[in-house]
């Protein structure tokens, strides 16, 4: 008898997180979604899954999501970590409070749910964690300073995690989107992309679905760019 696969999507109420939840459900996963807006609960109901309204900055809300998922399904095979948008300002004008907010939005948004979910995956001897990051990790943009700084930290965290848990068959990878259609479109940004277009949330979701699949079973600790060729650093 085949085992029912279960995916948890954090910050999955809209944008790339919601697209990932839809794609994973289409691929046969039972989905559990956390979002702060209530849209995640509505989407989960539409997909026949479990939805919780809460914040990825709350350990209690994350624990509730995981507890309800395990109570219903008994396992978690995939964890997708999406997130919101942190503070933006010229780098010397960012306050201590804004830097701390950036860390909450772009780094601790992964660390908190991983700390709760990874032990279950270790017990199962298998699991895939996929974090939605940014294409500008290697070549940071002054447009998004808090994102660039803390997602560079996420790349380091991912490498350490992967080194530690690869032998338990628990994988972690980051997806690095460039300009995606969930963001406001400008001609200047479009022209900066070699493919001359914005990517789609569905293209990001397809990459996430691949990294969640058995076909990606030998991929861990990686940062996968999905950016139309805008960043080409090795």
């Amino acid at each position: 008898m085949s085992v029912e696969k279960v995916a948890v999507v954090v910050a999955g109420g809209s944008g790339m997180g919601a697209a990932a939840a839809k794609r994973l459900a289409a691929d046969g996963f039972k989905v559990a979604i956390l979002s702060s807006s209530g849209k995640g609960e509505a989407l989960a109901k539409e997909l026949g899954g479990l939805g919780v309204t809460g914040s990825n900055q709350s350990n209690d809300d994350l624990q509730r999501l995981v507890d309800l998922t395990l109570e219903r399904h008994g396992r978690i095979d995939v964890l997708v970590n999406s997130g919101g948008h942190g503070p933006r300002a010229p780098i010397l004008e960012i306050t201590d409070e804004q830097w701390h907010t950036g860390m909450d939005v772009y780094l601790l948004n992964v660390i908190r749910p991983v700390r709760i979910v990874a032990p279950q995956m270790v017990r199962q001897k298998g699991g895939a964690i996929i974090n939605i990051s940014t294409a500008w990790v290697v070549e940071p943009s002054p447009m998004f300073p808090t994102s660039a700084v803390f997602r560079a930290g996420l790349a380091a965290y991912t490498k350490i995690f992967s080194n530690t848990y690869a032998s338990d068959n628990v994988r972690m990878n980051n997806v690095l989107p460039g300009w995606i259609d969930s963001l406001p479109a400008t001609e200047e940004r479009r022209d900066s992309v070699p493919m001359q277009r914005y990517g789609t949330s569905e293209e990001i979701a397809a990459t996430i679905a691949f990294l969640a699949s058995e076909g990606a079973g030998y991929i861990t600790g990686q940062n996968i760019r999905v950016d139309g060729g805008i960043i080409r650093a090795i």
Side-chain angles (χ1 to χ4, degrees), residues 80-114:
V80 178
N81 291 308
S82 186
H85 301 285
R88 293 174 56 188
I91 194 164
L92 293 183
E93 298 176 16
I94 301 171
T95 66
D96 285 4
E97 182 180 3
Q98 288 174 316
W99 280 115
H100 282 290
T101 298
M103 183 169 66
D104 271 332
V105 171
Y106 295 124
L107 180 58
L108 288 173
N109 73 305
V110 170
I111 291 173
R112 290 190 188 99
V114 168

PDB file of all heavy atoms in Angstrom, residues 80-114:
ATOM      1  N   VAL A  80       7.644  23.582   2.992  1.00  0.00           N
ATOM      2  CA  VAL A  80       7.974  24.725   2.139  1.00  0.00           C
ATOM      3  C   VAL A  80       7.879  25.985   2.981  1.00  0.00           C
ATOM      4  O   VAL A  80       6.838  26.260   3.590  1.00  0.00           O
ATOM      5  CB  VAL A  80       7.016  24.827   0.936  1.00  0.00           C
ATOM      6  CG1 VAL A  80       7.353  26.067   0.097  1.00  0.00           C
ATOM      7  CG2 VAL A  80       7.074  23.571   0.084  1.00  0.00           C
ATOM      8  N   ASN A  81       8.959  26.746   3.011  1.00  0.00           N
ATOM      9  CA  ASN A  81       8.990  27.993   3.772  1.00  0.00           C
ATOM     10  C   ASN A  81       8.998  29.185   2.829  1.00  0.00           C
ATOM     11  O   ASN A  81       9.971  29.430   2.126  1.00  0.00           O
ATOM     12  CB  ASN A  81      10.240  28.035   4.658  1.00  0.00           C
ATOM     13  CG  ASN A  81      10.175  27.033   5.777  1.00  0.00           C
ATOM     14  OD1 ASN A  81       9.199  26.994   6.527  1.00  0.00           O
ATOM     15  ND2 ASN A  81      11.201  26.206   5.899  1.00  0.00           N
ATOM     16  N   SER A  82       7.875  29.897   2.823  1.00  0.00           N
ATOM     17  CA  SER A  82       7.793  31.146   2.091  1.00  0.00           C
ATOM     18  C   SER A  82       7.880  32.279   3.115  1.00  0.00           C
ATOM     19  O   SER A  82       8.244  32.055   4.267  1.00  0.00           O
ATOM     20  CB  SER A  82       6.490  31.202   1.281  1.00  0.00           C
ATOM     21  OG  SER A  82       6.458  32.337   0.459  1.00  0.00           O
ATOM     22  N   GLY A  83       7.577  33.481   2.707  1.00  0.00           N
ATOM     23  CA  GLY A  83       7.666  34.597   3.645  1.00  0.00           C
ATOM     24  C   GLY A  83       7.155  35.876   3.037  1.00  0.00           C
ATOM     25  O   GLY A  83       6.774  35.929   1.862  1.00  0.00           O
ATOM     26  N   GLY A  84       7.192  36.929   3.823  1.00  0.00           N
ATOM     27  CA  GLY A  84       6.728  38.226   3.362  1.00  0.00           C
ATOM     28  C   GLY A  84       7.884  39.107   2.924  1.00  0.00           C
ATOM     29  O   GLY A  84       8.916  38.629   2.445  1.00  0.00           O
ATOM     30  N   HIS A  85       7.706  40.396   3.113  1.00  0.00           N
ATOM     31  CA  HIS A  85       8.701  41.375   2.689  1.00  0.00           C
ATOM     32  C   HIS A  85       9.180  42.161   3.901  1.00  0.00           C
ATOM     33  O   HIS A  85       8.387  42.642   4.706  1.00  0.00           O
ATOM     34  CB  HIS A  85       8.114  42.318   1.641  1.00  0.00           C
ATOM     35  CG  HIS A  85       7.629  41.609   0.408  1.00  0.00           C
ATOM     36  ND1 HIS A  85       8.491  41.106  -0.537  1.00  0.00           N
ATOM     37  CD2 HIS A  85       6.376  41.286  -0.005  1.00  0.00           C
ATOM     38  CE1 HIS A  85       7.802  40.530  -1.498  1.00  0.00           C
ATOM     39  NE2 HIS A  85       6.511  40.607  -1.198  1.00  0.00           N
ATOM     40  N   GLY A  86      10.510  42.302   4.011  1.00  0.00           N
ATOM     41  CA  GLY A  86      11.113  43.022   5.125  1.00  0.00           C
ATOM     42  C   GLY A  86      11.381  44.477   4.798  1.00  0.00           C
ATOM     43  O   GLY A  86      11.077  44.960   3.699  1.00  0.00           O
ATOM     44  N   PRO A  87      11.976  45.197   5.738  1.00  0.00           N
ATOM     45  CA  PRO A  87      12.233  46.628   5.560  1.00  0.00           C
ATOM     46  C   PRO A  87      13.191  46.908   4.408  1.00  0.00           C
ATOM     47  O   PRO A  87      14.129  46.150   4.154  1.00  0.00           O
ATOM     48  CB  PRO A  87      12.875  47.032   6.896  1.00  0.00           C
ATOM     49  CG  PRO A  87      12.475  45.975   7.863  1.00  0.00           C
ATOM     50  CD  PRO A  87      12.372  44.715   7.068  1.00  0.00           C
ATOM     51  N   ARG A  88      12.952  48.025   3.730  1.00  0.00           N
ATOM     52  CA  ARG A  88      13.828  48.496   2.656  1.00  0.00           C
ATOM     53  C   ARG A  88      14.174  49.950   2.907  1.00  0.00           C
ATOM     54  O   ARG A  88      13.286  50.777   3.141  1.00  0.00           O
ATOM     55  CB  ARG A  88      13.141  48.367   1.300  1.00  0.00           C
ATOM     56  CG  ARG A  88      12.883  46.965   0.837  1.00  0.00           C
ATOM     57  CD  ARG A  88      12.069  46.955  -0.450  1.00  0.00           C
ATOM     58  NE  ARG A  88      12.704  47.728  -1.512  1.00  0.00           N
ATOM     59  CZ  ARG A  88      12.122  48.001  -2.680  1.00  0.00           C
ATOM     60  NH1 ARG A  88      10.897  47.576  -2.922  1.00  0.00           N
ATOM     61  NH2 ARG A  88      12.771  48.709  -3.595  1.00  0.00           N
ATOM     62  N   ALA A  89      15.464  50.267   2.841  1.00  0.00           N
ATOM     63  CA  ALA A  89      15.938  51.636   3.019  1.00  0.00           C
ATOM     64  C   ALA A  89      17.412  51.657   2.647  1.00  0.00           C
ATOM     65  O   ALA A  89      18.057  50.596   2.571  1.00  0.00           O
ATOM     66  CB  ALA A  89      15.748  52.099   4.466  1.00  0.00           C
ATOM     67  N   PRO A  90      17.989  52.848   2.376  1.00  0.00           N
ATOM     68  CA  PRO A  90      19.449  52.916   2.208  1.00  0.00           C
ATOM     69  C   PRO A  90      20.142  52.296   3.413  1.00  0.00           C
ATOM     70  O   PRO A  90      19.699  52.467   4.564  1.00  0.00           O
ATOM     71  CB  PRO A  90      19.718  54.423   2.111  1.00  0.00           C
ATOM     72  CG  PRO A  90      18.444  54.988   1.556  1.00  0.00           C
ATOM     73  CD  PRO A  90      17.346  54.158   2.177  1.00  0.00           C
ATOM     74  N   ILE A  91      21.227  51.599   3.172  1.00  0.00           N
ATOM     75  CA  ILE A  91      21.776  50.691   4.185  1.00  0.00           C
ATOM     76  C   ILE A  91      22.131  51.385   5.504  1.00  0.00           C
ATOM     77  O   ILE A  91      21.957  50.815   6.576  1.00  0.00           O
ATOM     78  CB  ILE A  91      22.973  49.907   3.603  1.00  0.00           C
ATOM     79  CG1 ILE A  91      23.314  48.725   4.516  1.00  0.00           C
ATOM     80  CG2 ILE A  91      24.172  50.820   3.354  1.00  0.00           C
ATOM     81  CD1 ILE A  91      24.193  47.688   3.856  1.00  0.00           C
ATOM     82  N   LEU A  92      22.591  52.624   5.454  1.00  0.00           N
ATOM     83  CA  LEU A  92      22.953  53.312   6.694  1.00  0.00           C
ATOM     84  C   LEU A  92      21.750  53.898   7.416  1.00  0.00           C
ATOM     85  O   LEU A  92      21.876  54.364   8.553  1.00  0.00           O
ATOM     86  CB  LEU A  92      23.977  54.411   6.416  1.00  0.00           C
ATOM     87  CG  LEU A  92      25.355  53.937   5.953  1.00  0.00           C
ATOM     88  CD1 LEU A  92      26.295  55.133   5.792  1.00  0.00           C
ATOM     89  CD2 LEU A  92      25.958  52.926   6.927  1.00  0.00           C
ATOM     90  N   GLU A  93      20.616  53.862   6.773  1.00  0.00           N
ATOM     91  CA  GLU A  93      19.403  54.398   7.397  1.00  0.00           C
ATOM     92  C   GLU A  93      18.533  53.317   8.037  1.00  0.00           C
ATOM     93  O   GLU A  93      17.502  53.628   8.632  1.00  0.00           O
ATOM     94  CB  GLU A  93      18.588  55.175   6.355  1.00  0.00           C
ATOM     95  CG  GLU A  93      19.324  56.377   5.795  1.00  0.00           C
ATOM     96  CD  GLU A  93      18.547  57.087   4.697  1.00  0.00           C
ATOM     97  OE1 GLU A  93      17.323  56.841   4.589  1.00  0.00           O
ATOM     98  OE2 GLU A  93      19.161  57.873   3.948  1.00  0.00           O
ATOM     99  N   ILE A  94      18.935  52.072   7.915  1.00  0.00           N
ATOM    100  CA  ILE A  94      18.154  50.976   8.505  1.00  0.00           C
ATOM    101  C   ILE A  94      18.419  50.939  10.001  1.00  0.00           C
ATOM    102  O   ILE A  94      19.570  50.853  10.442  1.00  0.00           O
ATOM    103  CB  ILE A  94      18.525  49.635   7.855  1.00  0.00           C
ATOM    104  CG1 ILE A  94      18.260  49.688   6.346  1.00  0.00           C
ATOM    105  CG2 ILE A  94      17.724  48.491   8.483  1.00  0.00           C
ATOM    106  CD1 ILE A  94      18.793  48.491   5.593  1.00  0.00           C
ATOM    107  N   THR A  95      17.369  51.001  10.779  1.00  0.00           N
ATOM    108  CA  THR A  95      17.504  51.021  12.234  1.00  0.00           C
ATOM    109  C   THR A  95      17.739  49.619  12.785  1.00  0.00           C
ATOM    110  O   THR A  95      17.515  48.616  12.095  1.00  0.00           O
ATOM    111  CB  THR A  95      16.232  51.592  12.875  1.00  0.00           C
ATOM    112  OG1 THR A  95      15.136  50.689  12.617  1.00  0.00           O
ATOM    113  CG2 THR A  95      15.897  52.972  12.312  1.00  0.00           C
ATOM    114  N   ASP A  96      18.164  49.565  14.040  1.00  0.00           N
ATOM    115  CA  ASP A  96      18.319  48.264  14.702  1.00  0.00           C
ATOM    116  C   ASP A  96      17.009  47.477  14.655  1.00  0.00           C
ATOM    117  O   ASP A  96      17.005  46.276  14.380  1.00  0.00           O
ATOM    118  CB  ASP A  96      18.726  48.452  16.163  1.00  0.00           C
ATOM    119  CG  ASP A  96      20.181  48.866  16.321  1.00  0.00           C
ATOM    120  OD1 ASP A  96      20.863  49.080  15.299  1.00  0.00           O
ATOM    121  OD2 ASP A  96      20.627  48.989  17.482  1.00  0.00           O
ATOM    122  N   GLU A  97      15.910  48.157  14.906  1.00  0.00           N
ATOM    123  CA  GLU A  97      14.605  47.490  14.908  1.00  0.00           C
ATOM    124  C   GLU A  97      14.298  46.914  13.531  1.00  0.00           C
ATOM    125  O   GLU A  97      13.787  45.789  13.410  1.00  0.00           O
ATOM    126  CB  GLU A  97      13.516  48.477  15.323  1.00  0.00           C
ATOM    127  CG  GLU A  97      12.130  47.852  15.399  1.00  0.00           C
ATOM    128  CD  GLU A  97      11.071  48.856  15.820  1.00  0.00           C
ATOM    129  OE1 GLU A  97      11.390  50.040  15.989  1.00  0.00           O
ATOM    130  OE2 GLU A  97       9.906  48.436  15.968  1.00  0.00           O
ATOM    131  N   GLN A  98      14.618  47.667  12.476  1.00  0.00           N
ATOM    132  CA  GLN A  98      14.369  47.172  11.122  1.00  0.00           C
ATOM    133  C   GLN A  98      15.261  45.982  10.773  1.00  0.00           C
ATOM    134  O   GLN A  98      14.824  45.047  10.103  1.00  0.00           O
ATOM    135  CB  GLN A  98      14.567  48.302  10.111  1.00  0.00           C
ATOM    136  CG  GLN A  98      13.473  49.346  10.150  1.00  0.00           C
ATOM    137  CD  GLN A  98      13.782  50.523   9.243  1.00  0.00           C
ATOM    138  OE1 GLN A  98      14.900  51.032   9.212  1.00  0.00           O
ATOM    139  NE2 GLN A  98      12.778  50.961   8.495  1.00  0.00           N
ATOM    140  N   TRP A  99      16.517  45.998  11.228  1.00  0.00           N
ATOM    141  CA  TRP A  99      17.381  44.833  11.006  1.00  0.00           C
ATOM    142  C   TRP A  99      16.808  43.605  11.699  1.00  0.00           C
ATOM    143  O   TRP A  99      16.805  42.503  11.147  1.00  0.00           O
ATOM    144  CB  TRP A  99      18.801  45.105  11.500  1.00  0.00           C
ATOM    145  CG  TRP A  99      19.641  45.912  10.557  1.00  0.00           C
ATOM    146  CD1 TRP A  99      20.146  47.161  10.769  1.00  0.00           C
ATOM    147  CD2 TRP A  99      20.103  45.529   9.251  1.00  0.00           C
ATOM    148  NE1 TRP A  99      20.877  47.573   9.679  1.00  0.00           N
ATOM    149  CE2 TRP A  99      20.868  46.586   8.733  1.00  0.00           C
ATOM    150  CE3 TRP A  99      19.930  44.392   8.469  1.00  0.00           C
ATOM    151  CZ2 TRP A  99      21.465  46.552   7.475  1.00  0.00           C
ATOM    152  CZ3 TRP A  99      20.523  44.339   7.210  1.00  0.00           C
ATOM    153  CH2 TRP A  99      21.273  45.411   6.722  1.00  0.00           C
ATOM    154  N   HIS A 100      16.314  43.785  12.920  1.00  0.00           N
ATOM    155  CA  HIS A 100      15.719  42.646  13.640  1.00  0.00           C
ATOM    156  C   HIS A 100      14.470  42.140  12.917  1.00  0.00           C
ATOM    157  O   HIS A 100      14.247  40.928  12.839  1.00  0.00           O
ATOM    158  CB  HIS A 100      15.383  43.052  15.080  1.00  0.00           C
ATOM    159  CG  HIS A 100      16.568  43.085  15.990  1.00  0.00           C
ATOM    160  ND1 HIS A 100      17.234  41.952  16.397  1.00  0.00           N
ATOM    161  CD2 HIS A 100      17.228  44.135  16.561  1.00  0.00           C
ATOM    162  CE1 HIS A 100      18.248  42.283  17.190  1.00  0.00           C
ATOM    163  NE2 HIS A 100      18.272  43.602  17.294  1.00  0.00           N
ATOM    164  N   THR A 101      13.674  43.063  12.370  1.00  0.00           N
ATOM    165  CA  THR A 101      12.504  42.654  11.594  1.00  0.00           C
ATOM    166  C   THR A 101      12.932  41.863  10.363  1.00  0.00           C
ATOM    167  O   THR A 101      12.336  40.836  10.020  1.00  0.00           O
ATOM    168  CB  THR A 101      11.685  43.883  11.174  1.00  0.00           C
ATOM    169  OG1 THR A 101      11.212  44.552  12.336  1.00  0.00           O
ATOM    170  CG2 THR A 101      10.499  43.478  10.303  1.00  0.00           C
ATOM    171  N   GLY A 102      13.974  42.347   9.680  1.00  0.00           N
ATOM    172  CA  GLY A 102      14.489  41.627   8.520  1.00  0.00           C
ATOM    173  C   GLY A 102      14.914  40.214   8.863  1.00  0.00           C
ATOM    174  O   GLY A 102      14.663  39.272   8.092  1.00  0.00           O
ATOM    175  N   MET A 103      15.555  40.039  10.016  1.00  0.00           N
ATOM    176  CA  MET A 103      15.962  38.696  10.435  1.00  0.00           C
ATOM    177  C   MET A 103      14.745  37.811  10.676  1.00  0.00           C
ATOM    178  O   MET A 103      14.741  36.626  10.311  1.00  0.00           O
ATOM    179  CB  MET A 103      16.826  38.771  11.694  1.00  0.00           C
ATOM    180  CG  MET A 103      17.345  37.412  12.158  1.00  0.00           C
ATOM    181  SD  MET A 103      18.610  37.526  13.443  1.00  0.00           S
ATOM    182  CE  MET A 103      17.655  38.202  14.799  1.00  0.00           C
ATOM    183  N   ASP A 104      13.688  38.378  11.270  1.00  0.00           N
ATOM    184  CA  ASP A 104      12.455  37.615  11.482  1.00  0.00           C
ATOM    185  C   ASP A 104      11.846  37.175  10.154  1.00  0.00           C
ATOM    186  O   ASP A 104      11.383  36.045  10.011  1.00  0.00           O
ATOM    187  CB  ASP A 104      11.429  38.466  12.242  1.00  0.00           C
ATOM    188  CG  ASP A 104      11.555  38.348  13.745  1.00  0.00           C
ATOM    189  OD1 ASP A 104      12.012  37.301  14.228  1.00  0.00           O
ATOM    190  OD2 ASP A 104      11.189  39.317  14.436  1.00  0.00           O
ATOM    191  N   VAL A 105      11.840  38.085   9.174  1.00  0.00           N
ATOM    192  CA  VAL A 105      11.146  37.842   7.910  1.00  0.00           C
ATOM    193  C   VAL A 105      11.924  36.901   6.998  1.00  0.00           C
ATOM    194  O   VAL A 105      11.340  36.047   6.322  1.00  0.00           O
ATOM    195  CB  VAL A 105      10.876  39.183   7.192  1.00  0.00           C
ATOM    196  CG1 VAL A 105      10.360  38.957   5.775  1.00  0.00           C
ATOM    197  CG2 VAL A 105       9.892  40.026   7.989  1.00  0.00           C
ATOM    198  N   TYR A 106      13.265  37.029   6.986  1.00  0.00           N
ATOM    199  CA  TYR A 106      14.067  36.367   5.959  1.00  0.00           C
ATOM    200  C   TYR A 106      14.939  35.213   6.456  1.00  0.00           C
ATOM    201  O   TYR A 106      15.485  34.481   5.639  1.00  0.00           O
ATOM    202  CB  TYR A 106      14.972  37.388   5.276  1.00  0.00           C
ATOM    203  CG  TYR A 106      14.234  38.449   4.510  1.00  0.00           C
ATOM    204  CD1 TYR A 106      14.434  39.802   4.775  1.00  0.00           C
ATOM    205  CD2 TYR A 106      13.332  38.111   3.503  1.00  0.00           C
ATOM    206  CE1 TYR A 106      13.774  40.786   4.054  1.00  0.00           C
ATOM    207  CE2 TYR A 106      12.660  39.095   2.783  1.00  0.00           C
ATOM    208  CZ  TYR A 106      12.888  40.432   3.062  1.00  0.00           C
ATOM    209  OH  TYR A 106      12.229  41.395   2.352  1.00  0.00           O
ATOM    210  N   LEU A 107      15.097  35.057   7.755  1.00  0.00           N
ATOM    211  CA  LEU A 107      15.942  33.977   8.277  1.00  0.00           C
ATOM    212  C   LEU A 107      15.206  33.139   9.312  1.00  0.00           C
ATOM    213  O   LEU A 107      15.097  31.922   9.163  1.00  0.00           O
ATOM    214  CB  LEU A 107      17.228  34.554   8.874  1.00  0.00           C
ATOM    215  CG  LEU A 107      18.217  33.551   9.474  1.00  0.00           C
ATOM    216  CD1 LEU A 107      18.658  32.515   8.441  1.00  0.00           C
ATOM    217  CD2 LEU A 107      19.433  34.282  10.051  1.00  0.00           C
ATOM    218  N   LEU A 108      14.677  33.784  10.341  1.00  0.00           N
ATOM    219  CA  LEU A 108      13.966  33.028  11.366  1.00  0.00           C
ATOM    220  C   LEU A 108      12.662  32.441  10.835  1.00  0.00           C
ATOM    221  O   LEU A 108      12.133  31.486  11.417  1.00  0.00           O
ATOM    222  CB  LEU A 108      13.699  33.917  12.585  1.00  0.00           C
ATOM    223  CG  LEU A 108      14.937  34.251  13.421  1.00  0.00           C
ATOM    224  CD1 LEU A 108      14.607  35.279  14.497  1.00  0.00           C
ATOM    225  CD2 LEU A 108      15.528  33.000  14.056  1.00  0.00           C
ATOM    226  N   ASN A 109      12.149  32.965   9.719  1.00  0.00           N
ATOM    227  CA  ASN A 109      10.961  32.363   9.107  1.00  0.00           C
ATOM    228  C   ASN A 109      11.221  30.932   8.669  1.00  0.00           C
ATOM    229  O   ASN A 109      10.300  30.128   8.537  1.00  0.00           O
ATOM    230  CB  ASN A 109      10.502  33.184   7.904  1.00  0.00           C
ATOM    231  CG  ASN A 109      11.427  33.034   6.696  1.00  0.00           C
ATOM    232  OD1 ASN A 109      12.622  33.261   6.805  1.00  0.00           O
ATOM    233  ND2 ASN A 109      10.876  32.675   5.556  1.00  0.00           N
ATOM    234  N   VAL A 110      12.500  30.593   8.454  1.00  0.00           N
ATOM    235  CA  VAL A 110      12.892  29.213   8.140  1.00  0.00           C
ATOM    236  C   VAL A 110      13.308  28.470   9.404  1.00  0.00           C
ATOM    237  O   VAL A 110      12.895  27.332   9.644  1.00  0.00           O
ATOM    238  CB  VAL A 110      14.043  29.201   7.116  1.00  0.00           C
ATOM    239  CG1 VAL A 110      14.622  27.792   6.963  1.00  0.00           C
ATOM    240  CG2 VAL A 110      13.559  29.728   5.774  1.00  0.00           C
ATOM    241  N   ILE A 111      14.123  29.105  10.225  1.00  0.00           N
ATOM    242  CA  ILE A 111      14.679  28.425  11.398  1.00  0.00           C
ATOM    243  C   ILE A 111      13.578  27.931  12.332  1.00  0.00           C
ATOM    244  O   ILE A 111      13.648  26.802  12.847  1.00  0.00           O
ATOM    245  CB  ILE A 111      15.660  29.360  12.127  1.00  0.00           C
ATOM    246  CG1 ILE A 111      16.918  29.569  11.269  1.00  0.00           C
ATOM    247  CG2 ILE A 111      16.026  28.805  13.506  1.00  0.00           C
ATOM    248  CD1 ILE A 111      17.886  30.605  11.815  1.00  0.00           C
ATOM    249  N   ARG A 112      12.544  28.734  12.544  1.00  0.00           N
ATOM    250  CA  ARG A 112      11.489  28.334  13.486  1.00  0.00           C
ATOM    251  C   ARG A 112      10.758  27.063  13.039  1.00  0.00           C
ATOM    252  O   ARG A 112      10.687  26.092  13.803  1.00  0.00           O
ATOM    253  CB  ARG A 112      10.496  29.479  13.685  1.00  0.00           C
ATOM    254  CG  ARG A 112      11.048  30.663  14.467  1.00  0.00           C
ATOM    255  CD  ARG A 112       9.918  31.628  14.819  1.00  0.00           C
ATOM    256  NE  ARG A 112      10.440  32.851  15.406  1.00  0.00           N
ATOM    257  CZ  ARG A 112      10.619  33.996  14.733  1.00  0.00           C
ATOM    258  NH1 ARG A 112      10.308  34.043  13.447  1.00  0.00           N
ATOM    259  NH2 ARG A 112      11.091  35.062  15.328  1.00  0.00           N
ATOM    260  N   PRO A 113      10.174  27.021  11.828  1.00  0.00           N
ATOM    261  CA  PRO A 113       9.461  25.788  11.452  1.00  0.00           C
ATOM    262  C   PRO A 113      10.372  24.586  11.275  1.00  0.00           C
ATOM    263  O   PRO A 113       9.964  23.455  11.565  1.00  0.00           O
ATOM    264  CB  PRO A 113       8.764  26.163  10.136  1.00  0.00           C
ATOM    265  CG  PRO A 113       9.452  27.387   9.642  1.00  0.00           C
ATOM    266  CD  PRO A 113       9.963  28.098  10.847  1.00  0.00           C
ATOM    267  N   VAL A 114      11.607  24.811  10.815  1.00  0.00           N
ATOM    268  CA  VAL A 114      12.536  23.685  10.655  1.00  0.00           C
ATOM    269  C   VAL A 114      12.821  23.043  12.008  1.00  0.00           C
ATOM    270  O   VAL A 114      12.869  21.810  12.133  1.00  0.00           O
ATOM    271  CB  VAL A 114      13.839  24.145   9.972  1.00  0.00           C
ATOM    272  CG1 VAL A 114      14.911  23.068  10.064  1.00  0.00           C
ATOM    273  CG2 VAL A 114      13.571  24.481   8.510  1.00  0.00           C
TER     274      VAL A 114
END
